[in-house]
Amino acid sequence: MKLITLRIVSGAALLAWSFLAQADTLPPLKLSDQIPVGPQVKVGKLANGLTYYIQKNGRPENKLELRLVVKAGSILEDEDQQGLAHFTEHMAFNGSTHFKRNQLVSYLQSIGVKFGADLNAYTSFDETVYILPIPTDKKEIVEQGFQVLEDWAHGLSFNDADIDSERGIVLEELRLGKGVDDRMNKVVLPKVLNGSRYAQRMPIGKEEIIRNFKYDAIKRFYRDWYRPDLMAVVVVGDIEPQEAQRLIEQHFTKLKNPANPRPREYAQIPERQDSEGIVFTDREVSANTVYIRYPIQSWPAGETIADYRQKLIEGMYSFILSQRMYELTQQADPPFLQGGSGMNKIVRGYRSFGAGAVLGKGGATPAINALVEEDQRARQYGFSESEVERAKKGMLRNYERIYNEREKSDSAGYAAEYIRNFLEQESIPGTAAEYRYATELIPGISAQEVNAAVRAVIPHNQSKLVIYTGVDKPGVAAPQADQLVAIATAAEKIAVKPIEDKVYASQLMPSLPKAGSIVSEKINAKIGTTELTLSNGVKVVLKPTDFNNDQVILGGLRYGGWSLLPDSDVFAAHYASSIVGQMGVLTYTPNDLVKVLAGKSVSSSANVSSLNESVGGSSGSSDVEAMLQLVYLQMTQPRKDAAIYSAYVDRQRELAQNNLARPESVFYDTVTATLYNNSPRVLRAAKPADFDQLALDRVLDIYNSRMSSARDFNFFIIGSFDVEKIKPLIATYIASLPAGEIPVAFKDEGVRPIKGVVKKEVHAGSEPKSTISLSFTGEVEYSRAARMRLQALVEVMNIKLIETLREKMGAMYSGGMSGTMSRIPYGNYAINATLPCAPENVDKVLAATFAEIDKIKQAGVDEADLNKVKASWIKGYRKGMRENGYWMASLQNAFFNNNNPEDILTYESRVNALTVADLQQAAQRYFDTNNYLQVVLYPEK
């Protein structure tokens, strides 16, 4: 078969080829050479020991990513400080030299930086990282950003009253984390971490210490560990490096280290000498699992080209192992529902080989046997030449894409690299250097080397920790701890055979479909689109962009969906697309497709949903044809596979056994059931017996009844392509799609939310946790302006809820509102609030929430709060206008809601036109206190 792509040379390929031409003039790599720091970043150190990283990067425009990285986490806490590394992070937003309590968050919101989504921080065992993205369009904002970092570094106030106020918020965060996972971690982690200090210093800390610590304890932590020799400042974005360095020196040279600094030591993890089994059962466990953890090894950072080459080899065998494990789940009676094995990071400087699985109906024994056998098969026989070659192709294509996008990669990604360099000494030679390493080293890696590496890394006859976690309920028998070890040990002795190598086609389609034609073309110069009408009636909107060099995305929409099916088919329709997608196309399983498409960057999916059918895809610029072929085959030649179907249904049935084990699942299922009055057309948590309704032939019939005809489909293709060069591909693969007569209008299914005020309580779970759900719903005359007013109202409400419920009352850590407005199947809106809190605070939280709603209805919103929303939205809009995904969402939304696609150009003016009166009227319209659903989760009585 002759591919059309042979006639098309993409810009991305030219970029890569130009690099390879330059590489010919460079001296050959020496494996003994040290990996250098790349020229893209300036790394320096001030006299006080503070490290800094500076990189100018223009994506996104007018934005700067700032980070303060401190090599201080929970592992450094004294006995009376457990939880105070994390508490210190909280105090960074509660007053400092230049910002009073809550003033910082309010200021940053006013320049479009959202708390949580943009402004954030995290604390781990060994580090605390502060994240501050800011706009660069005003010099004073940039100056203020560096001032914020300086205050975090040495200027926190730690006022007694502010500390006491924050205790409630941190305790709510701790409460939010309580549940089955927390209970399991308390049993399992001390064993996984071999009894090291890490198991005794979980970042969230201890409740009694958070409640009662003396003020000096947290000040002592800050004094001891927030010091310049343990800090890095990372600056990446739209700023001149000289200016960035000036600001770093201005703000951080003055920092001083303690006269007698405490030594910064890293905790050691002792070796495990003996094998051990652990069994943890709990009635809230939602899936039974098994995990085998082999001896922990020290993991020094790679420093040489040889180390980098070894990393490439590890990536290859990890990829092949994951493919083999996935294939096991495609059997008619799979040994596990999901499984995998490989080297995993434990903590900084340590890793171990492990294997784990979600158990099926056979339980622990077949899963452990399969995991161990597959690993031993790889250890004894290695991988075939073709498996390794496919892994190499995929790896090279991935490096090529990264290289092609090096000038159009977001600053946040680069900032994350430099954080890892500071904390873990990950090499940072730069994208161009890494592409050179890949193109020079990967072709020379042999299957024998990969097999030797996997043989060395997969344990045999070594000590192991075998962990079983499962549901505690009648009829489910958990294995004994000693049995787990015995099963895993015995599995290593089972004789295994090599996998028979299979030959795969080098092309996806054996022959091309008969091409259709393009019958008309319409150009919209305002938004840069070309709309094609094809011979089968399908329309394709093309928008070539320069936002990325090696990305093309595709979307397709049409009305219809399972709204056209009777109630008896709705459950099958919910699962039809997923089942068909699991079975592949033509004669290829999904795993076969990975192999056939090795070396290409491509994905595609088709979906039948409630009111429409859709198609989605993405590819590199040189792989567009493969993407369109997948779309064509998914619509015209989905594969039928009884074994994969049986495995899928068994997997879903098994997972459904414990769908409602967790209290949160019971709660949200109750919300859905109550809101829609138990409508059979609204999907709820599935029960095992529900899957008895499924039949392979009927599932395929449902899928084909909607997807086999492309009639009235509207496709959108956006990205780095040439319109004239992509037209022949469209004529071949989209214009050739069958477009037979089928219904292409959705049907209003009559599903409506309940009316009136309905209140319900759910009692589930043993932890002292509650969650409040409020749902305001109703009919509305849809318009884009009305939707914007509703969304702005919700954003302002979230600002007020954080201020009131979190900062003033300390009654909530996270939570808030979301809002939607839809034109179909009828004009409707919904505002949903989710508010986690303590059971004893439910009434207070409800009263405060309704008080905030009433304030806005009576007096309107604060202009300052509305301006914060506007600033955030406009910042996001300007960023989105340079992103393919943003344009795809906007164009599809315009189609779906029958809006003018050119409205994307007026977004900023429409946002700026919003008024306080608009939001007050919206609150009066949408917060109807005579029509809402309130459901509250309480612990079991």
Side-chain angles (χ1 to χ4, degrees), residues 341-519:
S341 66
M343 271 292 187
N344 301 295
K345 175 185 172 183
I346 304 297
V347 293
R348 177 196 177 276
Y350 291 95
R351 66 177 184 172
S352 75
F353 191 88
V358 178
L359 306 185
K361 58 187 177 184
T365 299
I368 293 173
N369 285 343
L371 290 171
V372 175
E373 285 178 41
E374 207 55 52
D375 287 336
Q376 291 304 311
R377 192 187 327 277
R379 190 185 68 82
Q380 293 178 36
Y381 299 105
F383 307 123
S384 69
E385 293 278 354
S386 59
E387 285 179 302
V388 173
E389 283 305 309
R390 286 192 294 267
K392 289 164 68 173
K393 283 183 181 179
M395 188 174 282
L396 280 168
R397 182 64 179 100
N398 187 50
Y399 272 95
E400 181 186 27
R401 285 200 75 182
I402 294 170
Y403 174 76
N404 289 338
E405 302 291 10
R406 69 195 181 284
E407 302 295 337
K408 298 183 177 180
S409 297
D410 280 2
S411 297
Y414 289 119
E417 278 190 63
Y418 303 142
I419 291 170
R420 294 193 298 271
N421 174 262
F422 180 65
L423 296 173
E424 301 178 12
Q425 292 73 59
E426 177 183 307
S427 60
I428 48 172
T431 303
E434 293 200 58
Y435 184 50
R436 182 192 175 198
Y437 300 163
T439 55
E440 289 194 29
L441 297 175
I442 290 174
I445 294 172
S446 67
Q448 289 76 17
E449 286 182 277
V450 176
N451 292 337
V454 80
R455 190 174 300 116
V457 81
I458 293 178
H460 183 65
N461 291 331
Q462 296 186 31
S463 64
K464 57 188 72 70
L465 177 68
V466 189
I467 303 167
Y468 170 90
T469 62
V471 66
D472 179 10
K473 70 178 183 181
V476 179
Q480 298 298 309
D482 56 350
Q483 289 179 317
L484 291 171
V485 176
I487 295 167
T489 301
E492 293 181 359
K493 300 173 183 177
I494 297 173
V496 294
K497 297 179 181 179
I499 288 179
E500 292 185 14
D501 204 12
K502 182 178 176 182
V503 178
Y504 292 91
S506 58
Q507 308 292 352
L508 180 58
M509 296 182 69
S511 60
L512 297 181
K514 183 179 179 181
S517 61
I518 297 168
V519 297

Side-chain angles (χ1 to χ4, degrees), residues 818-844:
S818 62
T820 60
M821 183 179 291
S822 301
R823 183 179 67 86
I824 62 172
Y826 67 100
N828 69 93
Y829 74 89
I831 298 176
N832 299 300
T834 302
L835 309 169
C837 63
E840 63 270 21
N841 287 336
V842 165
D843 291 342
K844 295 177 187 176

